[in-house]
Amino acid sequence: MGRSALTGALKPGDTFAESDFRATNPRFSSENLAINLAPVETLSEMAAAKGCRPGQLALAWLLAQPLDVVPIPGTKRVKYVQENLASTSVAISTDEIAYLGEVFTSSRIVGERYTAAHASTVASSTVDSGSVS
């Protein structure tokens, strides 16, 4: 769920333990976090109006995208697996899908996705002659 960003649990000014990946992630730096959480306020308000959690609405929105978007939420607790599964029951209109697309446009997100050190550990896939390597 965006390393907790889309759940509504993070707040501007939050800091992270040295052992937490987010402590070194540019998108979670003190100067970027508040900017990157601004769209989550809209998500949280919309979720409250629908009677669901922000993470559930985020998943419902992602599930409503074209088939080239496949959300894979990670979790450590069964209750969050159940909460994520319940997102399939969140009703979301085409207007809401479009609106959230505008709210979460990539131009509103600041900071690199990974530091150079982290990026070098992310496996990249290439398609060559119909095979994935």
Side-chain angles (χ1 to χ4, degrees):
M1 298 304 304
R3 303 199 186 276
S4 295
L6 297 177
T7 65
L10 297 181
K11 303 297 178 216
D14 280 355
T15 57
F16 307 98
E18 271 186 47
S19 61
D20 189 322
F21 171 81
R22 296 170 295 184
T24 59
N25 185 292
R27 291 186 178 178
F28 291 86
S29 70
S30 59
E31 60 271 6
N32 293 339
L33 185 60
I35 295 166
N36 291 335
L37 289 179
V40 179
E41 289 296 320
T42 301
L43 179 75
S44 295
E45 291 167 5
M46 186 182 280
K50 290 181 161 295
C52 66
R53 306 209 20 94
Q56 290 174 310
L57 180 56
L59 273 176
W61 172 60
L62 290 171
L63 289 167
Q65 300 303 307
L67 293 177
D68 61 339
V69 174
V70 180
I72 306 171
T75 185
K76 295 178 184 175
R77 294 175 181 82
V78 171
K79 74 177 190 173
Y80 295 130
V81 171
Q82 293 167 336
E83 187 176 296
N84 292 342
L85 183 58
S87 69
T88 61
S89 299
V90 174
I92 184 167
S93 71
T94 54
D95 288 343
E96 291 169 326
I97 293 166
Y99 178 64
L100 287 174
E102 293 170 14
V103 168
F104 283 95
T105 184
S106 62
S107 63
R108 292 190 69 181
I109 307 303
V110 296
E112 294 298 319
R113 184 174 181 144
Y114 300 109
T115 62
H118 287 132
S120 69
T121 65
V122 176
S124 63
S125 297
T126 59
V127 178
D128 183 27
S129 303
S131 65
V132 177
S133 55

